[in-house]
Short mmCIF file of all heavy atoms in Angstrom, two decimals:
data_model
loop_
_atom_site.label_atom_id
_atom_site.label_comp_id
_atom_site.label_asym_id
_atom_site.label_seq_id
_atom_site.Cartn_x
_atom_site.Cartn_y
_atom_site.Cartn_z
N ARG A 251 -12.62 -11.13 1.93
CA ARG A 251 -12.94 -11.72 3.23
C ARG A 251 -13.79 -12.97 3.09
O ARG A 251 -13.52 -14.00 3.71
CB ARG A 251 -13.71 -10.70 4.08
CG ARG A 251 -12.84 -9.69 4.78
CD ARG A 251 -13.74 -8.62 5.38
NE ARG A 251 -13.13 -7.91 6.46
CZ ARG A 251 -12.34 -6.87 6.31
NH1 ARG A 251 -12.03 -6.46 5.09
NH2 ARG A 251 -11.83 -6.24 7.35
N GLN A 252 -14.82 -12.87 2.29
CA GLN A 252 -15.71 -14.01 2.12
C GLN A 252 -14.98 -15.20 1.53
O GLN A 252 -15.20 -16.35 1.94
CB GLN A 252 -16.90 -13.62 1.23
CG GLN A 252 -17.83 -12.62 1.88
CD GLN A 252 -18.86 -12.09 0.92
OE1 GLN A 252 -18.68 -12.13 -0.29
NE2 GLN A 252 -19.95 -11.55 1.46
N PRO A 280 -18.61 -9.52 14.01
CA PRO A 280 -19.68 -9.14 13.08
C PRO A 280 -19.31 -9.39 11.62
O PRO A 280 -20.17 -9.71 10.80
CB PRO A 280 -19.87 -7.66 13.35
CG PRO A 280 -19.50 -7.50 14.77
CD PRO A 280 -18.37 -8.45 14.99
N VAL A 281 -18.04 -9.25 11.31
CA VAL A 281 -17.61 -9.53 9.94
C VAL A 281 -17.92 -10.97 9.58
O VAL A 281 -18.43 -11.26 8.48
CB VAL A 281 -16.10 -9.25 9.78
CG1 VAL A 281 -15.58 -9.79 8.45
CG2 VAL A 281 -15.83 -7.76 9.89
N ARG A 284 -21.82 -11.56 9.32
CA ARG A 284 -22.37 -11.05 8.06
C ARG A 284 -21.92 -11.87 6.86
O ARG A 284 -22.69 -12.13 5.93
CB ARG A 284 -21.98 -9.59 7.88
CG ARG A 284 -22.79 -8.65 8.74
CD ARG A 284 -22.44 -7.21 8.44
NE ARG A 284 -21.05 -6.93 8.75
CZ ARG A 284 -20.66 -6.07 9.70
NH1 ARG A 284 -21.57 -5.45 10.41
NH2 ARG A 284 -19.40 -5.85 9.93
N SER A 288 -24.25 -13.97 4.12
CA SER A 288 -24.15 -13.92 2.66
C SER A 288 -23.88 -15.30 2.08
O SER A 288 -24.55 -15.74 1.14
CB SER A 288 -23.04 -12.96 2.24
OG SER A 288 -23.23 -11.69 2.84
N ASP A 303 -22.76 -26.75 23.99
CA ASP A 303 -22.64 -25.40 24.52
C ASP A 303 -23.45 -24.49 23.61
O ASP A 303 -23.01 -24.09 22.55
CB ASP A 303 -21.16 -24.97 24.53
CG ASP A 303 -21.00 -23.61 25.20
OD1 ASP A 303 -22.00 -22.86 25.28
OD2 ASP A 303 -19.88 -23.28 25.61
N LYS A 304 -24.66 -24.18 24.08
CA LYS A 304 -25.61 -23.50 23.19
C LYS A 304 -25.23 -22.07 22.86
O LYS A 304 -25.96 -21.37 22.16
CB LYS A 304 -27.02 -23.55 23.81
CG LYS A 304 -27.60 -24.97 23.85
CD LYS A 304 -29.03 -24.97 24.36
CE LYS A 304 -29.57 -26.41 24.41
NZ LYS A 304 -30.88 -26.48 25.11
N ARG A 305 -24.13 -21.62 23.39
CA ARG A 305 -23.67 -20.29 22.97
C ARG A 305 -22.98 -20.38 21.61
O ARG A 305 -23.00 -19.45 20.82
CB ARG A 305 -22.67 -19.74 24.00
CG ARG A 305 -23.30 -19.33 25.30
CD ARG A 305 -22.24 -18.96 26.29
NE ARG A 305 -21.25 -20.04 26.46
CZ ARG A 305 -20.17 -19.96 27.24
NH1 ARG A 305 -19.93 -18.84 27.89
NH2 ARG A 305 -19.35 -20.96 27.35
P DC C 91 -28.25 -7.35 -0.85
OP1 DC C 91 -28.46 -8.72 -1.35
OP2 DC C 91 -29.07 -6.81 0.25
"O5'" DC C 91 -26.71 -7.18 -0.45
"C5'" DC C 91 -25.72 -7.25 -1.46
"C4'" DC C 91 -24.41 -6.72 -0.92
"O4'" DC C 91 -24.49 -5.28 -0.79
"C3'" DC C 91 -24.05 -7.26 0.47
"O3'" DC C 91 -22.73 -7.78 0.42
"C2'" DC C 91 -24.13 -6.03 1.38
"C1'" DC C 91 -23.86 -4.89 0.42
N1 DC C 91 -24.44 -3.59 0.83
C2 DC C 91 -23.60 -2.48 0.95
O2 DC C 91 -22.41 -2.60 0.71
N3 DC C 91 -24.14 -1.30 1.33
C4 DC C 91 -25.44 -1.20 1.58
N4 DC C 91 -25.93 -0.01 1.94
C5 DC C 91 -26.31 -2.33 1.47
C6 DC C 91 -25.78 -3.50 1.10
P DC C 92 -22.20 -8.65 1.61
OP1 DC C 92 -21.50 -9.80 1.01
OP2 DC C 92 -23.32 -8.84 2.55
"O5'" DC C 92 -21.11 -7.71 2.30
"C5'" DC C 92 -20.02 -7.23 1.56
"C4'" DC C 92 -19.34 -6.10 2.33
"O4'" DC C 92 -20.24 -4.98 2.36
"C3'" DC C 92 -19.05 -6.46 3.78
"O3'" DC C 92 -17.64 -6.62 3.94
"C2'" DC C 92 -19.55 -5.26 4.59
"C1'" DC C 92 -20.04 -4.27 3.56
N1 DC C 92 -21.32 -3.61 3.92
C2 DC C 92 -21.32 -2.25 4.26
O2 DC C 92 -20.25 -1.64 4.26
N3 DC C 92 -22.48 -1.66 4.58
C4 DC C 92 -23.62 -2.36 4.57
N4 DC C 92 -24.76 -1.73 4.89
C5 DC C 92 -23.64 -3.74 4.23
C6 DC C 92 -22.47 -4.33 3.91
P DC C 93 -17.02 -6.94 5.33
OP1 DC C 93 -15.68 -7.50 5.11
OP2 DC C 93 -18.03 -7.70 6.07
"O5'" DC C 93 -16.84 -5.52 6.02
"C5'" DC C 93 -16.02 -4.54 5.39
"C4'" DC C 93 -16.01 -3.27 6.21
"O4'" DC C 93 -17.30 -2.65 6.12
"C3'" DC C 93 -15.76 -3.52 7.69
"O3'" DC C 93 -14.44 -3.20 8.03
"C2'" DC C 93 -16.74 -2.60 8.42
"C1'" DC C 93 -17.59 -1.99 7.33
N1 DC C 93 -19.06 -2.11 7.55
C2 DC C 93 -19.78 -1.02 8.04
O2 DC C 93 -19.18 0.03 8.31
N3 DC C 93 -21.12 -1.14 8.23
C4 DC C 93 -21.72 -2.28 7.94
N4 DC C 93 -23.04 -2.37 8.12
C5 DC C 93 -21.01 -3.40 7.44
C6 DC C 93 -19.67 -3.27 7.27
P DG C 94 -13.81 -3.69 9.37
OP1 DG C 94 -12.34 -3.63 9.20
OP2 DG C 94 -14.45 -4.96 9.72
"O5'" DG C 94 -14.24 -2.60 10.46
"C5'" DG C 94 -13.88 -1.23 10.27
"C4'" DG C 94 -14.40 -0.40 11.43
"O4'" DG C 94 -15.82 -0.26 11.31
"C3'" DG C 94 -14.13 -1.01 12.80
"O3'" DG C 94 -13.75 0.00 13.72
"C2'" DG C 94 -15.46 -1.66 13.18
"C1'" DG C 94 -16.48 -0.75 12.47
N9 DG C 94 -17.68 -1.47 12.04
C8 DG C 94 -17.74 -2.71 11.45
N7 DG C 94 -18.95 -3.10 11.16
C5 DG C 94 -19.75 -2.06 11.60
C6 DG C 94 -21.15 -1.91 11.56
O6 DG C 94 -22.00 -2.69 11.11
N1 DG C 94 -21.56 -0.70 12.11
C2 DG C 94 -20.71 0.25 12.64
N2 DG C 94 -21.28 1.34 13.12
N3 DG C 94 -19.40 0.12 12.67
C4 DG C 94 -18.98 -1.05 12.15
P DT C 95 -13.34 -0.38 15.19
OP1 DT C 95 -12.14 0.41 15.51
OP2 DT C 95 -13.31 -1.86 15.29
"O5'" DT C 95 -14.57 0.13 16.05
"C5'" DT C 95 -15.09 1.44 15.77
"C4'" DT C 95 -16.37 1.67 16.55
"O4'" DT C 95 -17.46 0.97 15.89
"C3'" DT C 95 -16.33 1.15 17.99
"O3'" DT C 95 -16.68 2.20 18.87
"C2'" DT C 95 -17.35 0.00 18.03
"C1'" DT C 95 -18.27 0.33 16.86
N1 DT C 95 -18.87 -0.87 16.21
C2 DT C 95 -20.22 -0.90 16.00
O2 DT C 95 -20.97 0.00 16.32
N3 DT C 95 -20.68 -2.04 15.37
C4 DT C 95 -19.93 -3.12 14.96
O4 DT C 95 -20.45 -4.09 14.41
C5 DT C 95 -18.51 -3.02 15.21
C7 DT C 95 -17.60 -4.13 14.80
C6 DT C 95 -18.06 -1.91 15.81
P DA C 96 -16.69 1.97 20.48
OP1 DA C 96 -16.36 3.26 21.10
OP2 DA C 96 -15.87 0.77 20.77
"O5'" DA C 96 -18.22 1.62 20.77
"C5'" DA C 96 -19.24 2.43 20.18
"C4'" DA C 96 -20.60 1.83 20.46
"O4'" DA C 96 -20.85 0.72 19.57
"C3'" DA C 96 -20.76 1.28 21.89
"O3'" DA C 96 -21.94 1.83 22.47
"C2'" DA C 96 -20.86 -0.23 21.71
"C1'" DA C 96 -21.42 -0.35 20.30
N9 DA C 96 -21.07 -1.60 19.62
C8 DA C 96 -19.83 -2.15 19.50
N7 DA C 96 -19.80 -3.28 18.84
C5 DA C 96 -21.14 -3.49 18.50
C6 DA C 96 -21.79 -4.51 17.79
N6 DA C 96 -21.15 -5.56 17.28
N1 DA C 96 -23.12 -4.41 17.63
C2 DA C 96 -23.76 -3.35 18.16
N3 DA C 96 -23.26 -2.33 18.84
C4 DA C 96 -21.92 -2.45 18.98
P DA C 100 -33.36 -13.69 25.33
OP1 DA C 100 -34.53 -14.32 24.69
OP2 DA C 100 -33.45 -13.19 26.71
"O5'" DA C 100 -32.14 -14.70 25.25
"C5'" DA C 100 -31.81 -15.28 23.99
"C4'" DA C 100 -30.64 -16.22 24.15
"O4'" DA C 100 -29.45 -15.45 24.46
"C3'" DA C 100 -30.79 -17.25 25.27
"O3'" DA C 100 -30.54 -18.54 24.75
"C2'" DA C 100 -29.76 -16.83 26.32
"C1'" DA C 100 -28.73 -16.09 25.49
N9 DA C 100 -28.01 -15.04 26.21
C8 DA C 100 -28.55 -13.97 26.87
N7 DA C 100 -27.66 -13.17 27.41
C5 DA C 100 -26.45 -13.76 27.10
C6 DA C 100 -25.12 -13.41 27.38
N6 DA C 100 -24.78 -12.32 28.08
N1 DA C 100 -24.14 -14.21 26.91
C2 DA C 100 -24.49 -15.30 26.21
N3 DA C 100 -25.71 -15.73 25.87
C4 DA C 100 -26.65 -14.91 26.35
P DT C 101 -30.75 -19.80 25.65
OP1 DT C 101 -31.11 -20.90 24.74
OP2 DT C 101 -31.60 -19.42 26.80
"O5'" DT C 101 -29.28 -20.09 26.20
"C5'" DT C 101 -28.21 -20.31 25.29
"C4'" DT C 101 -26.91 -20.31 26.03
"O4'" DT C 101 -26.68 -19.01 26.62
"C3'" DT C 101 -26.83 -21.31 27.18
"O3'" DT C 101 -25.87 -22.30 26.85
"C2'" DT C 101 -26.41 -20.47 28.40
"C1'" DT C 101 -25.86 -19.22 27.74
N1 DT C 101 -25.90 -17.98 28.55
C2 DT C 101 -24.71 -17.42 28.94
O2 DT C 101 -23.63 -17.88 28.66
N3 DT C 101 -24.85 -16.26 29.68
C4 DT C 101 -26.03 -15.64 30.06
O4 DT C 101 -26.02 -14.61 30.72
C5 DT C 101 -27.22 -16.30 29.62
C7 DT C 101 -28.55 -15.72 29.98
C6 DT C 101 -27.11 -17.43 28.90
P DC C 102 -25.68 -23.55 27.77
OP1 DC C 102 -25.24 -24.67 26.92
OP2 DC C 102 -26.87 -23.69 28.63
"O5'" DC C 102 -24.45 -23.12 28.69
"C5'" DC C 102 -23.15 -23.10 28.10
"C4'" DC C 102 -22.19 -22.40 29.03
"O4'" DC C 102 -22.78 -21.17 29.50
"C3'" DC C 102 -21.82 -23.20 30.29
"O3'" DC C 102 -20.42 -23.39 30.30
"C2'" DC C 102 -22.31 -22.32 31.44
"C1'" DC C 102 -22.31 -20.93 30.80
N1 DC C 102 -23.22 -19.94 31.44
C2 DC C 102 -22.69 -18.81 32.06
O2 DC C 102 -21.46 -18.67 32.10
N3 DC C 102 -23.53 -17.90 32.63
C4 DC C 102 -24.84 -18.08 32.57
N4 DC C 102 -25.64 -17.16 33.13
C5 DC C 102 -25.43 -19.22 31.93
C6 DC C 102 -24.58 -20.12 31.38
#
Side-chain angles (χ1 to χ4, degrees):
Chain A
R251 279 170 158 85
Q252 292 171 339
V281 169
R284 284 185 297 245
S288 306
D303 185 340
K304 292 185 181 171
R305 288 174 305 177

